[in-house]
Amino acid sequence: MKIALVGIGKIAVDQHVPVIAGSSDWDLAATVSRHGAVEGVEAFTDMGAMLEARSDIRVVSLCLPPVPRFDYAMQTLKAGRHVMLEKPPGATIAECHALEAAAREAGLSIYATWHSRHADMVAAAKVWLAEKVLRSLTVTWKEDVRRWHPGQAWIWEPGGLGVFDPGINALSIVTEILPDDIHVTHAELDVPENCQTPIGARIAFHHPKGAQVSAVFDWRQEGDQTWEIEAVTEAGTLKLSDGGAVMEVDGTRTGDAAPLGGEYPRLYDRMAQLVSKGGIDMDLRPMTLVTDALAIGRRHAVAAFFEGPQ
């Protein structure tokens, strides 16, 4: 199937473009971007112009920041094309519901992707936890924003999510592997004095069966990056590390994939399945947890953030 990629930034260049190129399901037929392009692929700077010129393109993958994504997605659906959404699927829960409703009405597929759910050992962790009594679950997600989001000023603006941009990856795993839904009960948010979104967060969750569930997110990590989830049960302890690429159960390690390894190919495999069957996949639980943390979180002003030396 011919697919268009909209928003040629870091994540598109690092993940989407090579994955599409290596897939037997997809042909990258066009891009839309104000600043980026892919060599050998027809490039547009206007979404409407692409949709009008390329009626042969059935699917559009949106890699834009979350705030402008709704308008592009709705324009795509109105043009009768299927939509794939980078995470998070939008800037608000309500607009995501509106997109799903529009897709259903038009008989089109829409997919809110959560790439970390497709890390190598997430499915195995879900199976292992399914019949266990959970006592506690802790998330530690710490990385260097300068390394992973260079020049992306939008993440510090309203709707950009700040540290929840990577933190939502952890929550997409948690909501996938836990057999019971959780919700936010308390949050402490560190917000740089020159930013609108947090650079650090500490969150507590309610678990319906009494387990202690918490998360720590931080974008100020230097050196080794930390993407870990530890679940303590009555039958042992499970630990996911490297963003879900590695699993340990009571010290026995399984998995040798690199972080992000295989995640995006599985997203595009899933999108191909949805389009072939006319399906919709719009799980908004990770985004709900983030928006609730932002809604009830107590904000603490911290030092201003600057990407380069001042």
Side-chain angles (χ1 to χ4, degrees), residues 50-286:
M50 186 279 290
L51 291 170
E52 183 175 356
R54 297 301 305 267
S55 59
D56 57 322
I57 293 176
R58 298 177 58 197
V59 181
V60 175
S61 180
L62 297 175
C63 302
L64 300 156
V67 169
R69 199 172 297 160
F70 174 80
D71 289 339
Y72 281 78
M74 191 60 78
Q75 190 176 0
T76 302
L77 292 170
K78 288 181 178 179
R81 322 297 172 86
H82 308 286
V83 172
M84 183 173 178
L85 300 164
E86 243 295 357
K87 63 86 190 171
T92 71
I93 297 288
E95 69 183 30
C96 293
H97 286 309
L99 289 174
E100 181 176 355
R104 290 189 184 281
E105 183 177 358
L108 295 167
S109 294
I110 188 167
Y111 180 22
T113 69
W114 304 105
H115 66 81
S116 291
R117 280 188 177 172
H118 294 274
D120 268 16
M121 302 311 301
V122 169
K126 180 177 182 177
V127 170
W128 192 87
L129 284 170
E131 303 300 328
K132 305 292 191 302
V133 176
L134 185 69
R135 292 176 176 168
S136 67
L137 183 141
T138 56
V139 176
T140 308
W141 222 255
K142 299 181 178 182
E143 62 182 56
D144 185 350
V145 62
R146 293 177 176 88
R147 183 190 304 186
W148 300 101
H149 297 270
Q152 296 179 15
W154 58 265
I155 57 178
W156 302 113
E157 296 298 323
L161 297 190
V163 75
F164 286 108
D165 182 83
I168 205 169
N169 295 334
L171 297 176
S172 73
I173 296 176
V174 170
T175 51
E176 177 69 10
I177 65 176
L178 286 184
D180 301 295
D181 286 336
I182 58 174
H183 67 262
V184 176
T185 57
H186 183 81
E188 302 284 334
L189 311 176
D190 296 334
V191 183
E193 59 185 20
N194 62 337
C195 299
Q196 296 291 313
T197 56
I199 198 168
R202 296 160 300 284
I203 313 167
F205 302 88
H206 169 81
H207 184 273
K209 296 177 182 175
Q212 299 296 308
V213 180
S214 62
V216 176
F217 303 146
D218 205 308
W219 245 354
R220 297 162 289 196
Q221 179 94 334
E222 297 181 359
D224 292 340
Q225 310 290 276
T226 305
W227 301 295
E228 297 179 347
I229 299 171
E230 183 176 83
V232 179
T233 77
E234 94 296 348
T237 298
L238 176 145
K239 181 178 179 180
L240 287 172
S241 56
D242 288 349
V246 175
M247 182 174 76
E248 295 179 33
V249 175
D250 295 332
T252 300
R253 177 185 172 108
T254 307
D256 57 5
L260 289 176
E263 295 178 13
Y264 278 85
R266 292 175 190 127
L267 292 183
Y268 277 93
D269 289 347
R270 173 65 173 154
M271 186 63 189
Q273 294 168 4
L274 290 172
V275 172
S276 68
K277 298 177 181 178
I280 287 176
D281 189 340
M282 282 287 281
D283 183 3
L284 300 180
R285 289 177 298 166

Side-chain angles (χ1 to χ4, degrees), residues 28-39:
L28 182 56
T31 63
V32 181
S33 177
R34 290 178 297 173
H35 307 294
V38 176
E39 185 176 357

